[in-house]
Amino acid sequence: MFAADRASRQLGIELLTAGEGAAELRMTVRADMVNGHGIAHGGYVFLLADTAFACACNSRGPVTVASGADITFVAPAGEGDVLYATAEERTTYGRSGIYDISVRRGDEVIAEFRGRSRAMRGGQR
């Protein structure tokens, strides 16, 4: 799935690990990702977390999409910062699942994201 995700790859997002309900990705904040306050635009931080979520919830086979997500921004990131998004499956029930994603700069938490997934009917790859 990640190989076909042109949007994430064009932003320089790299898939480090993925499998069995988990994933870790990395992105370096570029100059064109910084907002008018001089910090990483929240949309890019969300996109990094959402991509980790997508990789984790699609790791088991069925085509799975987001049914909802929210994010809490904890600290700002700036140009040149290397951010890591680590996704972990919390639970699955029927065709639904819940995933938590932490976005970090080193050991510092930048954001916490919770995604809710839904597997598509007949959505095997």
Side-chain angles (χ1 to χ4, degrees):
M1 182 212 69
F2 184 78
D5 185 348
R6 289 180 41 201
S8 295
R9 287 192 345 270
Q10 286 187 313
L11 290 172
I13 294 175
E14 302 168 84
L15 176 62
L16 302 177
T17 62
E20 297 304 309
E24 183 174 25
L25 286 79
R26 174 176 56 210
M27 178 183 80
T28 300
V29 178
R30 302 183 317 219
D32 61 344
M33 297 174 172
V34 175
N35 66 21
H37 296 296
I39 59 176
H41 191 292
Y44 290 110
V45 176
F46 186 98
L47 190 144
L48 173 63
D50 186 52
T51 302
F53 166 48
C55 290
C57 70
N58 279 279
S59 65
R60 298 188 195 280
V63 173
T64 305
V65 297
S67 63
D70 58 79
I71 194 166
T72 301
F73 298 106
V74 177
E79 181 180 346
D81 285 348
V82 178
L83 304 181
Y84 292 85
T86 304
E88 296 180 22
E89 182 179 87
R90 292 298 176 221
T91 191
T92 59
Y93 50 101
R95 292 187 299 129
S96 299
I98 298 173
Y99 295 78
D100 286 336
I101 297 82
S102 291
V103 179
R104 290 177 159 50
R105 175 185 48 229
D107 291 333
E108 182 182 11
V109 174
I110 298 300
E112 291 290 342
F113 175 107
R114 174 158 276 191
R116 295 169 300 283
S117 68
R118 184 79 170 166
M120 304 295 287
R121 287 192 195 274
Q124 292 291 334
R125 278 181 269 231

